[in-house]
Structures are given as structure tokens and as C-alpha cells.
Amino acid sequence: MTRPGSFRALSDPTRRQILEDLRGGELAAGQIGSRFAISGPSISRHLAVLKSAGLVTERREGNRILYTLVEERLAACVGRFLSAVCPEQIVLRHTMWSPVTESE
């Protein structure tokens, strides 16, 4: 089941950029904040929305808060939505993109 707020979390371009930045691995809140021209409290709110939606996790290391992308949660959220909205596309994708074997 999709967590409440998953699509709300994905609706904001800053949050989508944070998710893209986290694809490269774990980042500290300060590292994330330095990539944007907005205030620290605004970044904290964006991170809280992403965490609430289950799209990122956080862990503390000393006085730093480190964030990690939860790729499987993001994939499951989007995948379930696509399967519900356009199930025939899922079938087409599997048949069109399946690898061709030598016996075919």
C-alpha cells in the first residue's frame, strides 16, 4: 500500500531534486542544503515530508543527520500507481522488452 503523502512528496521540484541527489548515496542535511538557494529550515521541511512519505531515511552520526534514498519504496509507490492506472502498459512493456532468446 502507498504511504499517505507519497505523491505529495513527489509533487515538489525541490523534493524531486533531493531524491535525485540521494541516488548517488547518503548525504548530510548540510550537504543537501548547500545545493539549493533556500533556507535551512525550508530544506528541513522538505526532508521531513520525504521522510514522512517513507522515501528517505535518516540516521544520526554525531551532530549530523544523514539521509538515504529508499529506492524500493519509491519504485513500489510509482509502480503500484502505474499498474492501477494503465495495467495494459505493464503487460506491453514486459512483452516488448523481453530479451530475445536464440531459439526464437
Side-chain angles (χ1 to χ4, degrees):
M1 177 156 259
T2 302
R3 271 191 176 186
S6 296
F7 282 97
R8 176 179 169 252
L10 294 172
S11 70
D12 185 271
T14 299
R15 291 191 288 269
R16 289 193 307 268
Q17 184 60 53
I18 291 170
L19 293 174
E20 285 186 41
D21 292 348
L22 288 171
R23 279 187 1 195
E26 185 177 69
L27 291 172
Q31 292 173 297
I32 295 168
S34 69
R35 298 168 183 231
F36 298 92
I38 59 177
S39 70
S42 291
I43 289 293
S44 292
R45 282 191 295 277
H46 284 299
L47 289 167
V49 169
L50 291 169
K51 183 181 170 193
S52 174
L55 300 176
V56 300
T57 59
E58 71 174 34
R59 71 178 182 89
R60 294 189 179 272
E61 185 178 274
N63 64 351
R64 296 172 10 145
I65 302 174
L66 301 165
Y67 290 89
T68 304
L69 176 64
V70 182
E71 293 175 1
E72 58 278 358
R73 171 79 66 193
L74 179 59
C77 169
V78 174
R80 273 192 297 274
F81 173 75
L82 290 176
S83 293
V85 173
C86 52
E88 66 280 354
Q89 294 302 315
I90 302 301
V91 172
L92 285 175
R93 184 174 67 218
H94 288 301
T95 57
M96 291 173 57
W97 294 342
S98 62
V100 177
T101 62
E102 290 183 25
S103 62
E104 292 183 322

